[in-house]
Amino acid sequence: MEVTSMHPQKFVEALQGQELKNSVIIDVREQHEWDYYHLEEALLIPMGQIPHRLGELPDDKDIYLVCAHGVRSYRVAEYLLDNGFERVINVDGGMAAVGMLRGFQYD
């Protein structure tokens, strides 16, 4: 199965429009990155912890994945698909793109 990706503008619009309220947003960055800037709607599960925390992820909801620029979250999306999750969406450009669209300059 191929990873589904979402354009950051579409993601921000869906987030603002409450279209993602029945979904799960997982930020796979590290704690220090999360502390710098994060989405209040997201749950932090760093990439390295994903294999140990699969049981916490719903298989009946869409799972949106973000990281700094979209690379780590893409890898996590591939991993989740390989492990039986079907409703996985990677946010292209990660928090750098999402933050910029929301008025935050992410370094």
Side-chain angles (χ1 to χ4, degrees):
M1 190 176 285
E2 194 169 317
V3 173
T4 300
S5 293
M6 180 179 248
H7 189 277
Q9 179 70 41
K10 186 174 178 183
F11 175 76
V12 168
E13 289 170 1
L15 195 59
Q16 291 170 339
Q18 301 292 314
E19 296 167 39
L20 305 182
K21 66 181 176 182
N22 293 320
S23 302
V24 175
I25 302 167
I26 302 200
D27 190 326
V28 300
R29 297 175 301 152
E30 297 298 320
Q31 182 71 53
H32 69 277
E33 295 171 290
W34 168 272
D35 292 343
Y36 181 65
Y37 176 70
H38 66 272
L39 299 171
E40 293 298 323
E41 302 87 351
L43 170 67
L44 175 65
I45 304 180
M47 183 178 185
Q49 294 179 18
I50 293 289
H52 309 291
R53 296 178 65 180
L54 288 179
E56 297 176 36
L57 304 180
D59 57 6
D60 61 342
K61 294 183 178 184
D62 291 337
I63 299 173
Y64 290 84
L65 298 164
V66 296
C67 65
H69 298 284
V71 177
R72 282 177 282 179
S73 56
Y74 187 89
R75 296 291 179 233
V76 171
E78 290 179 317
Y79 181 82
L80 293 179
L81 290 171
D82 288 345
N83 282 275
F85 290 86
E86 296 178 359
R87 298 171 64 178
V88 178
I89 301 101
N90 182 53
V91 179
D92 288 335
M95 291 302 294
V98 171
M100 187 170 53
L101 291 166
R102 295 182 85 188
F104 183 84
Q105 184 62 42
Y106 189 90
D107 295 328

